[in-house]
Amino acid sequence: MAGPLSSYRLSARPEGGSGRGRRAERGSPSRSNEVISPEILKMRAALFCIFTYLDTRTLLHAAEVCRDWRFVARHPAVWTRVLLENARVCSKFLAMLAQWCTQAHSLTLQNLKPRQRGKKESKEEYARSTRGCLEAGLESLLKAAGGNLLILRISHCPNILTDRSLWLASCYCRALQAVTYRSATDPVGHEVIWALGAGCREIVSLQVAPLHPCQQPTRFSNRCLQMIGRCWPHLRALGVGGAGCGVQGLASLARNCMRLQVLELDHVSEITQEVAAEVCREGLKGLEMLVLTATPITPKALLHFNSICRNLKSIVVQIGIADYFKEPSSPEAQKLFEDMVTKLQALRRRPGFSKILHIKVEGSC
């Protein structure tokens, strides 16, 4: 799905959208007075078995092959997993898809783009006119899926989808179990987290770390972490991050989410032994996986996590020199960073660390 969505628009014509389309539908097997042969029924049954494995783009193209393929390709039973990525879409397109997504249990919108900017349109005008421009169509999708939707993922859709998307989900999809929302322009705030928590109490996996670099780096704050802990004490997997996250919020989170098994921290301030001790004092006893992305951590902090979190099976540390130094190109910074990495790598020789500690250094082979 790597190109613009012009092919989607061609494939997703509304039923009876043109005179020729209406003529094609005349005598359709969906009409009650038409007798469908056993051969056609067998073919459709076979198509149902195959089409349930097709992705969204392929389903849209399959609907253009013939009348029987269209019948199956536009049946809600094959639209259980909806994935739109790397494409230029409009709100009307999403609203059109909604008619087939009444049984969808998974919806993923990733790296979507709005219309192209007009020649005489300034960047400011373009940003204003496209801000939240897909949310009306997304609302139609969420409303259609309703209580069937269990998984919602929205990522890398800057400006065109804001954190209002999660507020919409709280209104229509109260059975959600896994939610991902990652944005560099509109990170989720505590007000929307409260609304999502009020509407969707069954969430066990939540990924809401802002993308880096973030235009509002402090919007996701300690207050957000505290709200998450109050709304979903039964969380099993959580991904948070940003400059606004501190020890107070992390400690509150650990205290409230006692069942947490997977914790991902993205672009959080340095985790020292003191921070690790404060957080582990409040909870994280059942933690099985700790992922630190662009989050500096000291060897002593890692030792503390490993000694307190007895169920830890994996610690992943992904770091780069820019996470530690403002001038990463300077020889002094490079030398200090090499020493830090060496000390972290040395932990793998300690008992209990060799199999669980994975250190990935940005830019290294």
Side-chain angles (χ1 to χ4, degrees):
M1 230 184 293
L5 218 63
S6 57
S7 56
Y8 279 180
R9 297 192 186 99
L10 289 173
S11 300
R13 289 196 299 265
E15 302 290 347
S18 64
R20 187 171 60 180
R22 286 192 294 270
R23 286 194 297 273
E25 292 300 315
R26 211 169 282 160
S28 166
S30 60
R31 298 176 74 89
S32 59
N33 60 350
E34 181 172 350
V35 177
I36 305 174
S37 68
E39 290 76 15
I40 295 295
L41 291 175
K42 289 180 181 179
M43 181 186 70
R44 288 185 178 179
L47 289 176
F48 269 111
C49 294
I50 297 170
F51 281 15
T52 53
Y53 295 98
L54 299 184
D55 59 35
T56 302
R57 183 187 185 94
T58 308
L59 279 175
L60 290 171
H61 286 308
E64 296 298 300
V65 174
C66 65
R67 186 172 59 184
D68 291 308
W69 279 45
R70 183 184 306 114
F71 177 87
V72 178
R74 292 185 175 178
H75 196 285
V78 301
W79 286 80
T80 56
R81 299 180 304 276
V82 181
L83 167 63
L84 296 174
E85 61 178 348
N86 304 325
R88 198 177 297 278
V89 300
C90 65
S91 187
K92 289 183 179 180
F93 173 77
L94 297 182
M96 186 186 303
L97 291 187
Q99 63 185 310
W100 310 313
C101 296
T102 55
Q103 297 180 32
H105 62 71
S106 173
L107 173 61
T108 301
L109 306 177
Q110 182 170 317
N111 197 29
L112 298 184
K113 302 174 181 63
R115 62 173 178 81
Q116 293 181 331
R117 182 159 64 100
K119 293 182 179 180
K120 297 182 179 180
E121 192 176 21
S122 69
K123 290 183 179 181
E124 293 75 17
E125 291 172 338
Y126 177 68
R128 283 196 300 269
S129 65
T130 57
R131 180 168 176 76
C133 63
L134 295 187
E135 287 171 358
L138 175 62
E139 182 174 6
S140 298
L141 276 173
L142 296 174
K143 188 175 182 179
N148 290 317
L149 196 67
L150 303 178
I151 302 171
L152 175 63
R153 303 186 187 97
I154 300 174
S155 179
H156 294 79
C157 301
N159 199 48
I160 58 176
L161 287 174
T162 69
D163 61 349
R164 182 174 178 269
S165 304
L166 297 185
W167 179 80
L168 293 172
S170 73
C171 296
Y172 300 110
C173 308
R174 294 178 175 260
L176 279 172
Q177 297 179 8
V179 172
T180 296
Y181 174 80
R182 304 202 62 190
S183 174
T185 57
D186 298 275
V188 65
H190 69 272
E191 307 94 337
V192 174
I193 291 176
W194 181 86
L196 186 65
C200 306
R201 305 294 296 176
E202 304 303 317
I203 294 175
V204 293
S205 176
L206 186 66
Q207 304 292 327
V208 288
L211 291 174
H212 185 78
C214 183
Q215 294 182 12
Q216 303 181 62
T218 59
R219 177 167 169 75
F220 190 87
S221 61
N222 282 335
R223 191 170 181 182
C224 294
L225 296 176
Q226 294 165 354
M227 191 69 68
I228 289 172
R230 293 173 187 148
C231 290
W232 301 285
H234 52 281
L235 269 180
R236 300 299 179 90
L238 176 64
V240 295
C245 295
V247 61
Q248 181 183 359
L250 292 173
S252 172
L253 193 66
R255 180 171 56 252
N256 290 308
C257 299
M258 300 299 293
R259 300 181 185 180
L260 203 60
Q261 296 175 343
V262 179
L263 177 61
E264 300 180 39
L265 302 179
D266 191 321
H267 286 87
V268 175
S269 301
E270 184 177 20
I271 306 295
T272 62
Q273 183 181 12
E274 292 73 19
V275 173
E278 180 67 23
V279 173
C280 290
R281 186 181 299 117
E282 299 293 342
L284 299 186
K285 301 300 185 292
L287 197 66
E288 297 181 5
M289 184 175 185
L290 177 63
V291 181
L292 304 165
T293 302
T295 298
I297 187 168
T298 64
K300 289 184 178 180
L302 286 175
L303 287 169
H304 192 85
F305 276 117
N306 191 47
S307 65
I308 300 299
C309 306
R310 296 293 187 177
N311 295 326
L312 266 179
K313 299 175 182 177
S314 178
I315 301 176
V316 181
V317 181
Q318 304 178 44
I319 55 173
I321 189 171
D323 303 327
Y324 289 85
F325 302 99
K326 294 182 178 179
E327 298 181 2
S329 59
S330 69
E332 182 182 2
Q334 293 179 3
K335 179 64 169 63
L336 290 172
F337 182 68
E338 289 177 5
D339 293 341
M340 290 179 182
V341 173
T342 300
K343 290 179 180 179
L344 290 174
Q345 296 282 13
L347 290 177
R348 291 178 52 82
R349 295 193 291 269
R350 286 179 172 261
F353 266 106
S354 59
K355 293 183 179 180
I356 70 169
L357 181 59
H358 309 279
I359 300 175
K360 302 177 182 179
V361 182
E362 184 181 332
S364 66
C365 298

